Amino acid sequence: MKTLITKNRQKRLAFDLILLCGSFYLAMLMSHKPIDNNQILIPIILVFIWYFTSKYTNLYDDFRTTTFIEELLVLVPNVLFQLIAVGFIYFTINDHLYVRTLALYYVLFMTIILAFKKYFLKQWKLYNWVTGKDIKNLLIIGSGDQGMAFYNTALTNKQFGYNPIGFIEDYQPHHLNGKYRGTTAELEKIIDEFKVDEIIISLAEYDTTKVKKILAIADKYAIRTKIIPEYFQFFSSKFKMDIFGHLPIITVREEPLEEFHWYMMKNIADVVFTSLLFIFVFSWLFPIIAIAIKLDSKGPVFYIQDRWGKNGVAFKCIKFRSMVHNATTVKDNGKFNQTVKNDARVTRVGAFLRKSNFDELPQFFNVLWGNMSVIGPRPHAVQHSIESKEQIDNYLLRHLVKPGITGWAQVNGYRGETSDIFMMKKRVEFDIWYIENWSPWLDLKVIVMTLYSMVKGDMMAY
């Protein structure tokens, strides 16, 4: 199976290298660059650079569980390396004729061609997976909470291309509903019988001898194996190993934005990005939205609400008003009144603003005032936060950083009404993951995914 995976990656790489060379020679043709011996050698150098950068960025991984836009974002650094390489090569050989035009065409053609190729390949794969073709048979060893969660995720998401065939346990559980396949001693027989492609190890108690035996059998049959330890729930998704004297110490939670240089870099990027938006976009867009709101319903243009910010400190969050004036935010029972689908309080213009996320745009004022960031966990109303922290473990951890206008949870589909406790917990999980895994690249990724969601429309926005 590993051999097949390697061959598929090599085929995709080889095809992309052909497209790369084609893009370069097409760029030369369009830029009227004369063809000489140097021009013939340059694509060979660019091919070698692409090979190594694609390995570094894992461009040819199996993106079964990712969206197209996430795949596309992995392409970006490879294209940037090509642009830098073209400039450096021509500078080295002291050739300046039509170089900027050539580089522009090369990057443009390469990006468009590879993006379209990725899109059609993704659609073709999704079609195959949903219709039952090119499916990987998945065997799960261990039927605890994490093993069951993995099984249910694979079962209900056909677009991932997995067929979960069942579980292995050294005792016969009663909750598997016919999905019990045998014991670890029968692993080889089960692999042969069910044509297993991948194994997931999710044992409640880590048994070194048992895991070594499973891995040895998996290697014998060249089966990709992944381990999900049940005890990971005690750690965050981002932990760090340190040495204290001669003793190993695990820091169970690490936040990059605690580092001063990263904190300052994010703040500067927020101010620069926001300032550009106010100059080039908001200067004409805000008056149009304001007029539409005033014509549609009585009341102020802006809606100001107290929300929790960094460290749980309340601040005035500003939005475009999307509901009727003086709409109540408290139910008869005293609970926070969240917006729901077809909410009677939402105006006609407000419905559009919410669907397009335009109602959030005034929060860029909050970014300039310093109590919000462009990217971060979404701020909740004070009463909503007070109620949520009693219901959800680790809820307050999302307040370790400034709240954002958009966030990792939102671009992954966890936005809108949060009356469902499962959705609320998942939103918090995504927010904490963002805090622990923050990077400038991740922020750029969220911005691109947000723009994509705004153009496509969000079914959870109401």
Side-chain angles (χ1 to χ4, degrees):
M1 208 261 304
K2 287 182 179 177
T3 304
L4 179 60
I5 292 172
T6 302
K7 285 183 178 179
N8 286 335
R9 289 177 178 175
Q10 289 174 347
K11 288 178 182 178
R12 289 159 56 199
L13 172 61
F15 187 60
D16 280 1
L17 294 180
I18 294 171
L19 294 176
L20 207 71
C21 293
S23 298
F24 183 81
Y25 286 117
L26 181 59
M28 286 188 62
L29 181 66
M30 295 295 293
S31 63
H32 305 292
K33 182 81 174 171
I35 298 178
D36 54 31
N37 290 335
N38 286 335
Q39 312 307 321
I40 295 172
L41 290 174
I42 289 172
I44 298 175
I45 299 173
L46 294 175
V47 160
F48 274 104
I49 293 172
W50 183 272
Y51 175 82
F52 288 107
T53 59
S54 67
K55 291 288 184 183
Y56 177 76
T57 59
N58 299 315
L59 181 62
Y60 297 102
D61 272 8
D62 187 1
F63 292 99
R64 283 178 175 259
T65 58
T66 57
T67 62
F68 166 71
I69 192 67
E70 289 177 289
E71 285 191 50
L72 195 60
L73 286 168
V74 180
L75 182 66
V76 173
N78 294 275
V79 172
L80 291 177
F81 271 112
Q82 289 289 299
L83 179 61
I84 294 168
V86 168
F88 180 77
I89 291 169
Y90 279 105
F91 175 79
T92 303
I93 64 177
N94 198 28
D95 182 351
H96 307 293
L97 186 63
Y98 303 124
V99 171
R100 283 182 292 184
T101 307
L102 169 67
L104 178 62
Y105 277 129
Y106 175 54
V107 169
L108 181 64
F109 293 151
M110 176 175 48
T111 303
I112 292 174
I113 292 170
L114 292 179
F116 270 103
K117 190 219 80 171
K118 271 190 164 295
Y119 176 78
F120 287 114
L121 184 62
K122 183 74 170 179
Q123 296 304 313
W124 177 71
K125 284 184 176 180
L126 286 174
Y127 174 78
N128 281 340
W129 294 337
V130 171
T131 55
K133 300 174 185 176
D134 188 28
I135 299 294
K136 289 185 177 181
N137 290 326
L138 184 70
L139 178 65
I140 303 173
I141 301 177
S143 58
D145 290 343
Q146 302 306 321
M148 291 300 299
F150 197 96
Y151 173 85
N152 291 325
T153 300
L155 186 68
T156 55
N157 291 274
K158 299 297 184 185
Q159 72 273 19
F160 291 168
Y162 286 111
N163 172 38
I165 60 176
F167 297 85
I168 281 183
E169 280 282 16
D170 287 337
Y171 65 96
Q172 185 165 354
H174 300 292
H175 65 283
L176 296 182
N177 299 323
K179 289 296 181 180
Y180 175 69
R181 299 305 178 198
T183 65
T184 51
E186 302 171 287
L187 179 57
E188 292 193 65
K189 184 189 76 171
I190 295 167
I191 289 173
D192 284 330
E193 181 181 351
F194 292 95
K195 309 299 180 188
V196 175
D197 296 306
E198 288 194 16
I199 292 175
I200 299 295
I201 301 176
S202 181
L203 297 174
E205 296 181 3
Y206 190 82
D207 186 327
T208 303
T209 303
K210 183 186 291 187
V211 171
K212 284 183 177 179
K213 182 179 178 182
I214 293 168
L215 293 176
I217 294 173
D219 287 343
K220 177 181 175 181
Y221 287 85
I223 294 175
R224 178 175 287 180
T225 307
K226 300 173 184 176
I227 299 175
I228 308 177
E230 285 282 336
Y231 54 78
F232 94 102
Q233 60 187 300
F234 300 115
F235 301 94
S236 71
S237 60
K238 193 79 170 179
F239 58 87
K240 183 176 71 172
M241 286 288 297
D242 290 311
I243 298 296
F244 184 77
H246 63 281
L247 298 173
I249 302 291
I250 297 177
T251 302
V252 299
R253 195 174 308 281
E254 184 183 25
E255 302 116 46
L257 288 172
E258 283 189 325
E259 300 288 341
F260 179 75
H261 58 283
W262 289 128
Y263 175 78
M264 289 302 300
M265 179 180 175
K266 185 172 172 67
N267 282 346
I268 292 170
D270 281 341
V271 172
V272 171
F273 181 74
T274 300
S275 299
L276 291 174
L277 284 178
F278 270 103
I279 293 169
F280 295 107
V281 180
F282 297 161
S283 56
W284 57 266
L285 181 60
F286 274 20
I288 295 174
I289 295 176
I291 291 170
I293 292 172
K294 294 297 288 183
L295 292 175
D296 182 54
S297 61
K298 295 180 179 179
V301 170
F302 297 109
Y303 173 71
I304 298 175
Q305 185 180 49
D306 286 339
R307 297 194 177 188
W308 272 10
K310 186 177 179 181
N311 298 323
V313 177
F315 69 98
K316 302 291 184 183
C317 181
I318 183 170
K319 298 177 63 175
F320 280 124
R321 181 174 58 83
S322 59
M323 292 186 176
V324 295
H325 186 41
N326 292 329
T328 178
T329 58
V330 181
K331 296 180 181 178
D332 294 338
N333 61 6
K335 295 287 185 179
F336 180 72
N337 191 12
Q338 296 185 65
T339 310
V340 298
K341 194 171 185 178
N342 300 320
D343 198 312
R345 296 172 297 169
V346 177
T347 64
R348 288 174 300 174
V349 169
F352 167 76
L353 294 177
R354 285 174 171 270
K355 193 72 175 176
S356 60
N357 294 317
F358 281 6
D359 63 319
E360 312 286 1
L361 294 182
Q363 287 167 33
F364 282 98
F365 283 116
N366 289 111
V367 174
L368 294 178
W369 297 332
N371 43 37
M372 283 186 70
S373 177
V374 176
I375 312 296
R378 286 291 299 145
H380 294 160
V382 171
Q383 186 175 354
H384 187 193
S385 294
I386 292 172
E387 293 170 6
S388 297
K389 74 183 180 69
E390 302 298 331
Q391 297 176 288
I392 304 170
D393 293 337
N394 301 325
Y395 179 83
L396 292 179
L397 291 175
R398 65 195 301 276
H399 295 288
L400 290 173
V401 298
K402 289 181 184 179
I405 295 173
T406 184
W408 183 239
Q410 282 64 42
V411 297
N412 281 280
Y414 294 99
R415 61 157 295 167
E417 183 191 4
T418 53
S419 56
D420 185 335
I421 191 67
F422 173 79
M423 292 286 286
M424 294 166 69
K425 288 179 178 179
K426 292 301 292 184
R427 178 182 291 185
V428 172
E429 286 177 19
F430 274 84
D431 286 338
I432 294 174
W433 186 93
Y434 168 82
I435 293 170
E436 295 171 345
N437 293 272
W438 177 87
S439 69
W441 173 246
L442 180 58
D443 272 1
L444 178 61
K445 184 176 181 178
V446 173
I447 289 173
V448 173
M449 293 176 73
T450 300
L451 293 174
Y452 179 75
S453 178
M454 288 175 69
V455 172
K456 184 183 67 172
D458 192 336
M459 294 182 65
M460 292 299 294
Y462 41 79

